[in-house]
Amino acid sequence: PPGKKVLIVYAHQEPKSLNGSLKRVAVEELSKQGCSVTVSDLYAMQFEPRATRNDIVGCLHNSEEFNYGMETWEAYKRGGLSSDLLEEQKKVQEADLLIFQFPLYWFSMPAIMKGWMDRVLVQGFAHEFPNCYDSGLLQNKLALFSFTTGGSREMYVKGGISGDIRYLLWPMQHGIMHFCGVKVLAPHICFAPEYVSEEKRKEMLVAWAQRLKTLWKEEPIDCSPEWYFK
C-alpha cells in the first residue's frame, strides 16, 4: 500500500542473474503499489562483512580487552558507530518490510549478508536482553527471505538428502529476525533455477510478482519451533 517503506538487502554479484531479476521484480512491483523501496546492494557497495574495531569511532569503552558486542553496544548508545553502520540502521529503522534476496550458500546466506547481520543488528538497536524475540526492539516490522537453491525441491524435504528446507530457515528467520522482534512472512524459494528451462525461470519471476501483489495481506508465520521442526 502507498506509504509503506521496503528495504531489500540484496547479495548477488551479477545483475543478470535470477537473484538480480527477482530483486528487480520486487522493486518494480512494490514501487507500482506506491511503496518506497530502498536497495542495499551489498556487493556493489563493497559492504564490509567483518566485525572489527573499525566499527567503533573514537575511544573504546575498555581498551584493555576488546569485546565487539559490548563495544558496539556502548558506541551505539553514544552515537559512535561507523557511518556505514549508521546508514544501514537508518534504512532498517525506517522500513516496514525487509526483504533478503540471495542465493543459498552452504545451507545459509552468503558471507557478505551474514556480515550485514553481524554488524548492523547491534545490541541496543535491534535487541537488548531481555528485550528479544517477541519483545525485540524491531517490533512492527516484517521480514521475508527470498532465495535460490542449487538443489531441487525433492532434496529439501523431511526425508530428503538435505532435510526439510525449514531446518535451514531456523537460524535465519528465528535466530536473527524473530530474535530482534521482527515478524516473518513465509519464505520465497526458487529451487534449482540453474537446472530448469528459461521458460521455468520466467515462471519463477511471474510467481514472485504475483505474490508481491497481495503481500501486505499475508499473515506472518507462526514464530515457534513447531513451524520449523514439526
Side-chain angles (χ1 to χ4, degrees), residues 113-154:
M113 185 177 278
K114 177 57 163 58
W116 186 95
M117 305 281 182
D118 291 352
R119 295 180 63 226
V120 175
L121 302 175
V122 167
Q123 184 169 356
F125 169 68
H127 57 90
E128 187 148 18
F129 194 80
N131 296 319
C132 48
Y133 290 118
D134 290 340
S135 59
L137 303 180
L138 300 181
Q139 282 170 64
N140 308 321
K141 295 187 190 302
L142 293 168
L144 193 167
F145 287 84
S146 170
F147 59 96
T148 57
T149 68
S152 65
R153 186 185 293 269
E154 297 72 51

Side-chain angles (χ1 to χ4, degrees), residues 8-24 39-47 99-105 109-114 146-150 193-194 201:
I8 301 176
V9 182
Y10 162 69
H12 200 287
Q13 309 86 337
E14 175 51 68
K16 296 202 226 39
S17 64
L18 185 70
N19 273 277
S21 300
L22 288 160
K23 183 260 294 175
R24 195 178 59 251
V39 178
S40 285
D41 181 340
L42 301 181
Y43 286 105
M45 291 156 68
Q46 300 200 347
F47 185 80
I99 295 177
F100 297 95
Q101 181 64 59
F102 59 98
L104 194 69
Y105 280 9
M109 57 188 97
I112 200 165
M113 185 177 278
K114 177 57 163 58
S146 170
F147 59 96
T148 57
T149 68
E194 283 177 80
R201 278 197 289 274

Side-chain angles (χ1 to χ4, degrees), residues 134 173-174 178 182-184 220-228:
D134 290 340
Q173 292 186 167
H174 188 79
H178 183 204
V182 179
K183 293 190 169 54
V184 180
I221 65 163
D222 157 35
C223 279
S224 70
E226 283 74 58
W227 188 88
Y228 300 90

